[in-house]
Amino acid sequence: MNFALNRRLFLQASTVAGGGFMLGFALPGNEAEAAAAPEVNAWIVIQPDDTVIVRVAHSEMGQGAFTALPMMVAEELNADWAKVKPEFINPTEHVQRNRVWGGTATVGSRAVRTSHEYLRKAGASAREMLIAAAAQQWKVPASEVRAEKSVLTHTPTGRTLSYGKVASAASRMPAPKDVALKPHTEWTILGTPKSRVEIPDKVMGKPVFAIDVRLPDMLFAAIEHSPAFGGKLKSFDEKAVAKMPGVRAVVALADSAVAVVADSYFEASRA
Amino acid sequence: MLPIEWDRGPNGHVNHADVLAFVKSGLTATDPLEGASEGDVVAAIAKGAKVIEAEYHAPFLSHAPMEPQNATARVSADLVEIWAPTQNIEATLNLAAKAAGVDIGKVKVHPVMAGGGFGRRGGQLEYVPQAVELSMRMGKPVQVIWSREEDIRHDYYRPISSAKFKAAFDAQNNPIAWDTRIAGQSIMSTVNPEALKKGTDLGFLVCFTDNPYDVPNRRVDFGMRNTHVPVGYWRSVNHSQNGYFRECFVDEMAEAAGMDPYQFRRKLLANSPKQLACMDAAAKAAGWGRSLPQGVFQGIAQVDGYGSYVASVVEASVRPDGHPKVHRVVAAIDCGHVVNPDTVKAQTEGAVAWALSAALYGEITIKNGGVEQGNYHDYPMVKMAEMPVVEVVLVPSYDFWGGVGEPGAPPVTPALLNAMYKATGRRIRNLPIVKDSQPRSAD
Amino acid sequence: MITLTINEQKHEVEVDPSTPLLWVLRDKLAMTGTKFGCGIAQCGACTVHINGMAARACVTPVSMVTDAKITTIEGLSTDGSHPVQAAWVAHEVPQCGYCQPGMMMAAAALLTQKPNPTDADIDAAITNICRCGTYPRVRAAIHSIAKT
């Protein structure tokens, strides 16, 4: 298996292309740097400063996926929730990596109920890999190492290492074949109220939506579709609007819609 | 304004009365598609000491998320970049690649949040290829924005549907048979016509194929009537229709049996512990049967769906003009494990507003083959002044993982209609309420 | 050339005087916090302050506000410290969040005029549409500010 090698090559390639995106939102000009640290597994990247990046494969539209899904990973990872940052997956990478992040369609109230098992297992598996890496570094049995709140502790001696210090070594550890998941009575993150991570940006009116994208030389288009379902475009009189301020073009889209392209949406929509 | 001439196409003459007549013909069709059946419903009804019947209807509905449909594309020689609200990033990716005629390796879907979705942006993302095509044509980045009118007139609507019920009781008022016919437009007719070739669309019969109420002889079947109007998923889609039909008719059954609607449900849910516990929690938190201000009445309903259980008690009064005022909604939800409790509460609160907008005002009608409504003035929403107090009670049973985005909505409408019935003595069986309510005679 | 005073800064824009303020903000000045929802003053997503009063930018011709003091969500505070923003975070008001800039601007204007609004005041002043249904939290957040 050379998956690990391929994965690293891929990450290098996707880092160049701007592979991953942090919350804070990736409109042009404020793209966060793609994570430089290696993946512990596909869901988790732990940076040297202990930031735990958790990949999110479902859309955020106010239903809380960006918080709830990382909570499930962080619970089993025994991560310090304050250091967890969600990051939206790159769908191109998702397809190229054989849909490594599972289902992405955010429909049918399904984000949590279809992914809870593999997300929690990803967290538990990474936790075991972190423990194994710390045990190797200390040359002690893994059973003497515990993981709590993003810190690994060698129980007999009290020595500690933060997750960020061993994440790179952990990424080279074999993933455990099977991991046990905690019973709900042992949860410390799941089931507790966590503030939704994107709310501070939203109350500032930050450009987190597609409609807020502004690019150099960008034009705007207004669309009119056939007023009846199944209707077809017969003709339009481009000359009637061609001289209106800001109007750049009138374009037929297939045979059922017309677009007016202009310098601003107002100029496109009134033409 | 750009002068455009349209050929309105083969359905350009279709009006709403035509659509309604076609859909309702499914209620009497003699060759319905099979749903589910237990016992012998026909024989049991024939033996009934008392038989009641009722017909209900639910309209087409639009999603109208606050962020209109839009997409921005920047197409260069070696990269197609796209920004668009979506509930399905793979669909965005594939549509952009196809429109540009490139491999997905040359497409970059930028992550953005969606200003609402509610099922509209699950896969029918025409605005994505539109932006790509226009960016290629113009050689510059292009942002496509659909006006609100284009959004409401070119949606994938919650299907139109109707229900016809018959229930029979024995001489001791025990229900012995329950027959249900659903008529309406299968979502598969739009989103996956291939799937329909295999037969029926059982998703259209939820709440009946999994009906938890114990009645010995039951049947549900489907008079499928697919119109030319595109339909799709919509927050709590089929549960919002069938939950309303079922829970209103259960109230009618309770009345026929001479029982309190809560106690009647308790009796028929004796073997459905999760539904029962959830409903008991809602009834307890609301104070079912408590003394209320004059003119205020309670209604109850419970619907499970999306892997979770929700029961709601609505307290409402009815103004002289027939319009309801909803004072309070108490919702109990069992979603199994609770991940983020405040999110469960927020989603359940939001589902109340979603359901009330639809129940009070929501209706898309057809004229000359297209949609008549176009913006929030003729497709109105509940606003602050009409929003009730909402109390959400979490009753997790910790042995499953349920959804929370949608299940809060379905019980709201029937609980409201059941409360309104207590206030007026008149059943509303057509939505929206503004169309079917009547001024009250002087009290 | 039209001169506008937005968030205490002067901006000069070359636009048709009939252009609604919304599109000047969004398309000419790239101030995208103010949202487009309906274009006909129904939804309130475009709510800004004009001389301290809540106004719907989608139907306000820019020529009408050349002498006015305009405040947008970007000007409510630079760091999220405005009491409305703080209360919105504390009550976890936003869901999708698209309507919330307008909702917050309407709430901020109300609280300026009526520091202790009643439920009826809130009902009358907050006529914005939220499809996610955040109304109970909007109400609670406004009341929490009034109490402080």
Side-chain angles (χ1 to χ4, degrees), chain A residues 78-99:
Chain A
N78 289 358
D80 178 353
W81 177 249
K83 293 173 180 156
V84 174
K85 288 200 162 52
E87 178 190 274
F88 203 54
I89 63 160
N90 177 331
T92 306
E93 184 183 342
H94 180 55
V95 175
Q96 290 173 340
R97 290 174 69 178
N98 201 20
R99 294 189 169 77

Side-chain angles (χ1 to χ4, degrees), chain B residues 162-211:
Chain B
S162 294
K164 187 176 179 167
F165 293 115
K166 236 182 227 185
F169 300 80
D170 66 16
Q172 288 76 46
N173 276 337
N174 297 304
I176 53 167
W178 184 351
D179 198 11
T180 302
R181 165 68 59 83
I182 303 291
Q185 182 167 1
S186 159
I187 292 174
M188 292 299 159
S189 71
T190 297
V191 304
N192 189 1
E194 285 300 306
L196 274 189
K197 289 185 186 161
K198 292 178 199 144
T200 185
D201 174 3
L202 284 179
F204 212 82
L205 304 179
V206 290
C207 300
F208 295 104
T209 47
D210 55 350
N211 188 347

